[in-house]
Amino acid sequence: MWPRRAQAVQIKTPEQIATMREAGLVVAHALDAVAAAVRPGVTTAELDALAELEIRAAGATPSFLGYHGYPATICTSVNDEIVHGIPSPARRLNEGDIISIDCGAIVAGWHGDAAVTVGVGAVSAEHAALLSACEAALWQGIAQARPGRRLGDISHAVETSVDQAGPYGVVEEYTGHGIGTAMHMDPPVPNYGRPGRGLRLRAGMALAIEPMVMLGRPETVLLDDGWTVLTADGSWAAHFEHTVAITADGPWVLTAEDGGEARLRDTRKKDAASVPPT
């Protein structure tokens, strides 16, 4: 979630969604490259330089660089930083850290946006569970991105998944968002809410769904740099995000290599297994 101007909800043609898929794959490949480079001793500025190289080599443009004055290609949020951490040559990763890497790219005027949180070397069981809970909540939300559902169904699925995983906090001030010819568009996509409420979802919409989950309380603090958002209580946080197109056949995850098919299939299987027999 970044600063956003109010706009009408944009409905895309299949051809426009296909171009967003191109941008989404650029983001996916850049995130894969950066995540693979995460190790103790690397600086967040080095990760940023790699991301820019990957995006430009694909013929795309970084979405974040210069956006409202943001000075980098990716956001690198470490440990108690939730989102929008600015890469720096002075920020060197340590064994056991966790880092959220948020990345966006533009192809022919259309945007893709995704984020992943990874461990630096070996991480504690507590932090590994946090990452797993946040990513699982993302996929539960994505599974609701179908024509005829309501925006609140996505929000409720994310919140419910987090609540079931453990005593975690869910960020309320920052949300997911619509995406298309601009990186941040209407509608906002909260990570909490009531099912059956809000905007009715239609084929041709595209949403960036992005749970932000912390080990402690949900309150946040904005640093003086005007960008970096931290947990108020110093607890560590995780952040996962995908750009999802709503199609007649269901959600198409534009920033996943396989379109999200494998994870959505696993999510459906787990949901079916959790239903008690009648």
Coordinates of all heavy atoms in Angstrom, one line a residue, residues 68-112:
H68 N 6.3 8.8 -6.4 CA 6.1 9.7 -5.2 C 7.4 10.1 -4.6 O 7.5 10.3 -3.3 CB 5.1 9.2 -4.2 CG 3.7 9.1 -4.7 ND1 2.8 10.2 -4.7 CD2 3.0 8.1 -5.3 CE1 1.7 9.9 -5.2 NE2 1.7 8.6 -5.6
G69 N 8.5 10.0 -5.3 CA 9.8 10.3 -4.8 C 10.6 9.1 -4.2 O 11.7 9.3 -3.7
Y70 N 10.0 7.9 -4.3 CA 10.7 6.8 -3.7 C 12.0 6.5 -4.5 O 12.1 6.5 -5.7 CB 9.8 5.5 -3.8 CG 10.4 4.3 -3.1 CD1 10.4 4.3 -1.7 CD2 11.0 3.3 -3.8 CE1 10.9 3.2 -1.0 CE2 11.6 2.2 -3.1 CZ 11.5 2.2 -1.7 OH 12.1 1.1 -1.0
P71 N 13.1 6.3 -3.7 CA 14.5 6.3 -4.3 C 15.0 5.0 -4.8 O 16.2 4.9 -5.1 CB 15.3 6.9 -3.2 CG 14.7 6.3 -2.0 CD 13.2 6.3 -2.2
A72 N 14.2 3.9 -4.9 CA 14.8 2.6 -5.2 C 13.9 1.8 -6.1 O 12.7 2.2 -6.3 CB 15.2 1.9 -3.9
T73 N 14.4 0.7 -6.5 CA 13.6 -0.2 -7.4 C 12.7 -1.2 -6.6 O 11.6 -1.6 -7.0 CB 14.6 -1.0 -8.3 OG1 15.2 -0.1 -9.2 CG2 13.9 -2.1 -9.1
I74 N 13.2 -1.6 -5.4 CA 12.4 -2.5 -4.6 C 12.3 -1.9 -3.2 O 13.1 -1.0 -2.8 CB 13.1 -3.9 -4.5 CG1 14.5 -3.8 -4.0 CG2 13.0 -4.6 -5.8 CD1 15.2 -5.2 -3.8
C75 N 11.4 -2.5 -2.4 CA 11.4 -2.2 -1.0 C 12.0 -3.4 -0.2 O 11.7 -4.5 -0.6 CB 10.0 -2.0 -0.5 SG 9.1 -0.6 -1.3
T76 N 12.9 -3.1 0.7 CA 13.5 -4.2 1.5 C 13.3 -3.9 3.0 O 13.9 -3.0 3.6 CB 15.1 -4.2 1.2 OG1 15.6 -2.9 1.4 CG2 15.3 -4.7 -0.2
S77 N 12.3 -4.6 3.5 CA 11.9 -4.4 4.9 C 12.4 -5.6 5.8 O 12.0 -6.7 5.6 CB 10.4 -4.3 4.9 OG 9.9 -3.3 4.0
V78 N 13.2 -5.2 6.7 CA 13.9 -6.3 7.5 C 13.4 -6.3 8.9 O 13.2 -5.3 9.6 CB 15.4 -5.9 7.5 CG1 16.2 -7.0 8.3 CG2 16.0 -5.8 6.1
N79 N 13.1 -7.5 9.4 CA 12.7 -7.9 10.7 C 11.5 -7.1 11.2 O 10.4 -7.5 10.8 CB 13.9 -7.6 11.7 CG 15.1 -8.5 11.3 OD1 14.9 -9.5 10.7 ND2 16.3 -8.2 11.8
D80 N 11.6 -6.0 12.0 CA 10.4 -5.3 12.5 C 9.9 -4.3 11.5 O 9.0 -3.6 11.8 CB 10.7 -4.7 13.8 CG 11.8 -3.6 13.8 OD1 12.7 -3.7 12.9 OD2 11.9 -2.7 14.7
E81 N 10.6 -4.1 10.3 CA 10.1 -3.3 9.3 C 9.0 -4.0 8.5 O 9.2 -5.2 8.1 CB 11.2 -2.9 8.3 CG 12.3 -2.0 9.1 CD 13.5 -1.8 8.2 OE1 13.6 -2.4 7.1 OE2 14.4 -1.1 8.7
I82 N 7.8 -3.4 8.4 CA 6.7 -4.2 7.7 C 6.7 -4.0 6.2 O 6.7 -5.0 5.5 CB 5.4 -3.6 8.3 CG1 5.3 -3.7 9.8 CG2 4.2 -4.4 7.7 CD1 4.2 -2.9 10.4
V83 N 6.8 -2.7 5.8 CA 6.8 -2.4 4.3 C 7.5 -1.1 4.1 O 7.8 -0.4 5.0 CB 5.3 -2.2 3.8 CG1 4.6 -3.6 3.7 CG2 4.5 -1.3 4.6
H84 N 7.9 -1.0 2.8 CA 8.5 0.3 2.3 C 9.9 0.6 2.8 O 10.3 1.8 2.8 CB 7.6 1.5 2.5 CG 6.2 1.3 2.0 ND1 5.1 2.0 2.3 CD2 5.7 0.3 1.1 CE1 4.0 1.6 1.7 NE2 4.4 0.6 1.0
G85 N 10.6 -0.4 3.3 CA 12.0 -0.2 3.7 C 12.8 0.2 2.5 O 12.8 -0.4 1.5
I86 N 13.7 1.2 2.7 CA 14.5 1.7 1.6 C 15.8 1.0 1.6 O 16.5 1.0 2.6 CB 14.7 3.3 1.7 CG1 13.4 4.0 1.8 CG2 15.6 3.8 0.6 CD1 13.5 5.5 2.1
P87 N 16.2 0.4 0.4 CA 17.5 -0.2 0.4 C 18.7 0.7 0.7 O 18.6 1.9 0.3 CB 17.6 -0.7 -1.1 CG 16.2 -0.9 -1.5 CD 15.4 0.3 -0.8
S88 N 19.7 0.2 1.3 CA 20.8 1.0 1.7 C 22.1 0.2 1.7 O 22.1 -1.0 2.1 CB 20.6 1.6 3.1 OG 21.8 2.1 3.7
P89 N 23.2 0.8 1.3 CA 24.5 0.1 1.4 C 25.0 -0.1 2.8 O 25.9 -0.9 3.0 CB 25.5 1.1 0.6 CG 24.8 2.4 0.7 CD 23.4 2.1 0.6
A90 N 24.3 0.6 3.7 CA 24.7 0.5 5.2 C 23.9 -0.7 5.8 O 24.2 -1.0 7.0 CB 24.5 1.8 5.9
R91 N 22.9 -1.2 5.1 CA 22.0 -2.2 5.8 C 22.5 -3.6 5.3 O 22.2 -4.0 4.2 CB 20.6 -2.0 5.4 CG 19.6 -3.0 6.2 CD 19.7 -2.7 7.7 NE 18.9 -3.6 8.5 CZ 17.7 -3.3 9.0 NH1 17.1 -2.2 8.6 NH2 17.1 -4.1 9.7
R92 N 23.3 -4.3 6.1 CA 23.8 -5.6 5.8 C 23.0 -6.6 6.5 O 22.8 -6.5 7.7 CB 25.3 -5.6 6.2 CG 26.1 -6.7 5.5 CD 27.6 -6.6 5.8 NE 28.1 -5.4 5.2 CZ 28.5 -5.2 4.0 NH1 28.4 -6.2 3.1 NH2 29.0 -4.1 3.5
L93 N 22.6 -7.7 5.8 CA 21.8 -8.7 6.4 C 22.6 -9.6 7.3 O 23.8 -9.9 7.0 CB 21.1 -9.5 5.3 CG 20.1 -8.7 4.4 CD1 19.5 -9.6 3.3 CD2 19.1 -8.0 5.2
N94 N 22.0 -10.1 8.3 CA 22.6 -11.0 9.3 C 21.9 -12.4 9.3 O 20.7 -12.5 9.0 CB 22.6 -10.4 10.7 CG 23.4 -9.2 10.8 OD1 24.5 -9.1 10.4 ND2 22.7 -8.1 11.3
E95 N 22.6 -13.4 9.7 CA 22.0 -14.8 9.8 C 20.8 -14.7 10.8 O 20.9 -14.1 11.8 CB 23.1 -15.7 10.4 CG 22.6 -17.1 10.6 CD 22.7 -18.0 9.4 OE1 23.4 -17.6 8.4 OE2 22.1 -19.1 9.3
G96 N 19.7 -15.3 10.3 CA 18.5 -15.3 11.2 C 17.5 -14.1 10.9 O 16.4 -14.2 11.4
D97 N 18.0 -13.1 10.2 CA 17.0 -12.0 9.8 C 15.9 -12.6 8.9 O 16.1 -13.6 8.2 CB 17.8 -10.9 9.0 CG 18.6 -10.0 9.9 OD1 18.5 -10.1 11.1 OD2 19.5 -9.3 9.3
I98 N 14.8 -11.8 8.8 CA 13.9 -12.1 7.7 C 13.7 -10.8 7.0 O 13.8 -9.7 7.5 CB 12.5 -12.6 8.2 CG1 11.9 -11.5 9.2 CG2 12.6 -13.9 8.9 CD1 10.4 -11.9 9.6
I99 N 13.5 -10.9 5.6 CA 13.4 -9.7 4.8 C 12.3 -9.8 3.8 O 12.1 -10.8 3.1 CB 14.7 -9.4 4.0 CG1 14.6 -8.2 3.1 CG2 15.2 -10.6 3.3 CD1 15.9 -7.8 2.5
S100 N 11.4 -8.8 3.8 CA 10.4 -8.6 2.8 C 10.9 -7.9 1.6 O 11.6 -6.8 1.7 CB 9.2 -7.9 3.3 OG 8.3 -7.4 2.3
I101 N 10.8 -8.5 0.4 CA 11.2 -7.9 -0.9 C 10.0 -7.6 -1.7 O 9.2 -8.5 -2.1 CB 12.2 -8.8 -1.6 CG1 13.3 -9.3 -0.7 CG2 12.7 -8.2 -2.9 CD1 13.9 -10.6 -1.2
D102 N 9.7 -6.3 -1.9 CA 8.5 -5.9 -2.7 C 9.0 -5.3 -4.0 O 9.9 -4.5 -4.0 CB 7.8 -4.8 -1.8 CG 6.4 -4.6 -2.3 OD1 6.0 -5.1 -3.4 OD2 5.6 -3.9 -1.6
C103 N 8.4 -5.7 -5.1 CA 8.9 -5.4 -6.4 C 7.7 -5.1 -7.4 O 6.7 -5.7 -7.3 CB 9.7 -6.5 -6.9 SG 10.5 -6.3 -8.6
G104 N 7.9 -4.1 -8.2 CA 6.9 -3.8 -9.3 C 7.6 -3.5 -10.6 O 8.7 -3.0 -10.6
A105 N 6.9 -3.8 -11.7 CA 7.4 -3.5 -13.0 C 6.3 -3.1 -14.0 O 5.1 -3.5 -13.8 CB 8.1 -4.8 -13.6
I106 N 6.7 -2.4 -15.0 CA 5.8 -1.8 -16.0 C 6.1 -2.4 -17.4 O 7.3 -2.3 -17.8 CB 5.8 -0.3 -16.0 CG1 5.6 0.3 -14.6 CG2 4.7 0.2 -17.0 CD1 5.9 1.8 -14.6
V107 N 5.2 -2.9 -18.1 CA 5.3 -3.3 -19.5 C 4.2 -2.7 -20.3 O 3.0 -2.9 -20.0 CB 5.2 -4.9 -19.6 CG1 5.2 -5.2 -21.1 CG2 6.4 -5.5 -18.9
A108 N 4.6 -1.8 -21.3 CA 3.7 -1.2 -22.2 C 2.6 -0.4 -21.4 O 1.4 -0.4 -21.8 CB 3.0 -2.2 -23.1
G109 N 3.0 0.2 -20.3 CA 2.0 1.0 -19.5 C 1.2 0.2 -18.5 O 0.4 0.8 -17.8
W110 N 1.4 -1.1 -18.3 CA 0.6 -1.9 -17.4 C 1.6 -2.5 -16.3 O 2.7 -2.9 -16.6 CB -0.1 -3.1 -18.2 CG -1.1 -2.5 -19.1 CD1 -0.9 -2.2 -20.4 CD2 -2.5 -2.3 -18.8 NE1 -2.1 -1.7 -20.9 CE2 -3.1 -1.8 -19.9 CE3 -3.2 -2.5 -17.6 CZ2 -4.4 -1.4 -20.0 CZ3 -4.6 -2.1 -17.7 CH2 -5.2 -1.6 -18.8
H111 N 1.0 -2.6 -15.1 CA 1.8 -2.9 -13.9 C 1.7 -4.3 -13.4 O 0.6 -4.9 -13.5 CB 1.5 -1.9 -12.8 CG 1.9 -0.5 -13.0 ND1 2.9 0.1 -12.4 CD2 1.3 0.5 -13.9 CE1 3.1 1.4 -12.8 NE2 2.1 1.6 -13.7
G112 N 2.7 -4.8 -12.8 CA 2.7 -6.0 -12.0 C 3.4 -5.6 -10.6 O 4.3 -4.8 -10.6

